[in-house]
Amino acid sequence: MEQLSLTGPAASEAQRRARSLQIWRRRTQIGFFVLFLLAPSLNLLRFDLYETQLWVLGMRWSLGIDGLINGEISANQAALNLLWRALLPALLIVGGFLALAYRYGRIYCGWLCPHFSLVESLNSLLHRACGKLSLWDRAPVHRAGVTPQRRWWPLFALSCLLAAFTWAITLLTYLLPPQLIWSGLFSGTLTANQLRFLLVGTAIFAAEFAFARHLFCRFGCAVGLFQSLAWMANPRGLVVSFERERARDCRTCQSEQRSAPAHAALAAPDAPLGNACDSVCPMRLQPRNIKRRMFSCVQCGQCLDACDSTHTAQGRSPTLQWRIGEDALRETLRQRREHPPEQR
């Protein structure tokens, strides 16, 4: 197979596209995170336990069955109200969400999810502190331009606590009036139950952010699980494909030596460390693997950017590409031929 060579302006343009994709992805994450924080205060979405009232887009949302309780409407009218105000909206939201996941996979996780935004930020801080993206990694992860330094540990720990407290108090405002919670926090008049919720919630979230970020995203998040199930059912869904006939090119995947920890100082400068795509995956996956082993891929595209950068620097096209539609189907069929499911 003829290999496409990328040099000069073409290489620069490919790198600019990769950077632009990640810039836009980060913008969508920040925007959705701000929306997540402000939604209760703006009554965009919250359930007030005091009033047992659901707020949606600034309006009070009810099931329309109060009239039946008061004898003002018939049972048939109440059933219609339930259909129009509860069942159909739920089906549209869930169906639309799963349809998006069916085609694009866990794109909500990689481009919008406020929890995953924190996961990536904490990954970066932890890597600066110890060279790993998870405390459970067996070996340091090499990233160009990053030298682990212990001075980052306090910032990582503080960030875990701050993120946990932000998460806990935001979830509380989804259930109780935000003005009441925030004013009580600043004036020191929170009730015992409210304070207990914040303390326990902060402790749980801090432990999760520090020790189990990836474990939760991969195995504990129901939203992510259903997206993955929908995506796996679609052989034409967006998938990262790997040109396996060019697997030998990955051996010369370059990483800057200064990104390695101190114990690797004896290695030659610019030694081929390989696995640039593996080292940047925030979910701790191996992007060159087959689809069924990429079950929790969040379609963030960072592996594609790393592959593009390393191969472009050597004057050749990347070995990882996004495929969708018929191209994705061909990739899926090829994977099934080459890697049939294990017989039980």
Side-chain angles (χ1 to χ4, degrees), residues 105-118:
R106 293 178 64 164
I107 198 165
Y108 165 80
C109 297
W111 288 72
L112 295 175
C113 178
H115 180 274
F116 189 73
S117 302
L118 293 177

Side-chain angles (χ1 to χ4, degrees), residues 1 12 23 60 66 92 125 140 153-154 175 182 185 232 241 244 256 258 271 279 285 297 315 317 333-334 344:
M1 180 178 180
S12 299
I23 289 173
R60 293 176 180 270
D66 292 341
L92 287 175
L125 289 175
W153 276 112
L175 301 175
W182 286 107
L185 178 67
M232 293 296 290
S241 70
R244 300 186 182 278
E256 295 179 73
R258 66 174 180 270
S279 68
L285 303 175
C297 173
S317 62
L333 294 176
R334 182 188 65 78
R344 294 188 179 182

